[in-house]
Amino acid sequence: MDITRNMNGARALVVGAGLALALAMGAAPTPAMAAGRVGSTKVMVKTEIDNVNFKVPTVIPFIAKADGTLQGPSEDATTIDNLSAYGIHVTNMKIDAMNTWTIAADAKTGTAKNSIDFKVGPEGALQDASAAMQGTGIDLSKNATFDMGYQGIAGGSDKIKLKTSGNVARVTRDIFHVTGEGDQVATITWTVEPGAHTA
């Protein structure tokens, strides 16, 4: 029996096993370590679109005068309020007509019965209801007047005060004997997102 040859074979097995182990360890991912004695870590924050908290008016009650002019509520009583710790923005306003009302660009023209036109929005940026009925509504994502600061920000810019105007014409519905706030003519759907979306 050649002991030298057997020892050489054993050494070869040990070396081969060690080489295989080293290759396997080299292929495995290793944790990233900071070079030297100083390293840095970014601390990030973001929110998700569903984390927004806000409040819109439950109703906009109009009073129709004899000439058909609509008198709206006080803008201080009709607000969209940001209840979030960061700024938000109204990105879309969509209107759907209710009951047998026709939302027109101008209620006083045309022949449609129970015709109404109205506008709603912040000072200087009232949005036309008939335009908001088209397609998917009115894109407000680049309109800075629909920005709101974080809840409780100084100056009250955490809310949008809504002004209104409008007219009715050729009304056949009984808008006197209705209960509550009156006869529902439309529903407004407001869409908001976190942050400011101005141009």
Side-chain angles (χ1 to χ4, degrees):
M1 175 184 237
D2 187 344
I3 294 178
T4 307
R5 184 176 298 154
N6 284 341
M7 289 296 289
N8 288 340
R11 282 193 194 107
L13 283 173
V14 171
V15 171
L19 183 59
L21 182 59
L23 288 172
M25 289 177 66
T30 57
M33 302 297 290
R37 297 171 49 227
V38 177
S40 63
T41 301
K42 290 182 179 178
V43 178
M44 313 296 287
V45 64
K46 66 179 290 188
T47 190
E48 301 296 337
I49 196 163
D50 293 333
N51 292 344
V52 171
N53 194 4
F54 70 105
K55 181 176 70 173
V56 299
T58 56
V59 64
I60 296 177
F62 282 117
I63 300 294
K65 296 184 178 180
D67 64 357
T69 303
L70 295 177
Q71 178 182 335
S74 161
E75 63 182 54
D76 290 319
T78 315
T79 62
I80 300 175
D81 297 59
N82 183 9
L83 305 178
S84 306
Y86 40 80
I88 66 172
H89 183 90
V90 176
T91 58
N92 189 275
M93 181 178 100
K94 176 75 171 77
I95 292 181
D96 295 295
M98 301 297 292
N99 298 316
T100 58
W101 287 93
T102 298
I103 298 178
D106 182 356
K108 294 181 177 180
T109 64
T111 59
K113 297 263 197 294
N114 302 311
S115 190
I116 185 170
D117 68 70
F118 68 92
K119 294 181 180 180
V120 60
E123 180 76 47
L126 273 70
Q127 304 299 310
D128 188 88
S130 66
M133 287 190 61
Q134 311 306 315
T136 57
I138 297 176
D139 179 8
L140 301 170
S141 60
K142 291 185 169 45
N143 191 328
T145 59
F146 284 88
D147 282 339
M148 287 167 274
Y150 60 82
Q151 184 181 24
I153 191 172
S157 61
D158 57 348
K159 65 183 70 200
I160 297 171
K161 294 182 177 183
L162 298 173
K163 296 181 75 68
T164 56
S165 66
N167 300 281
V168 291
R170 298 172 299 283
V171 179
T172 60
R173 296 180 66 83
D174 187 344
I175 59 175
F176 176 67
H177 290 101
V178 288
T179 60
E181 301 288 349
D183 196 29
Q184 186 176 1
V185 300
T187 298
I188 305 175
T189 302
W190 305 95
T191 303
V192 303
E193 290 183 359
H197 297 77
T198 56

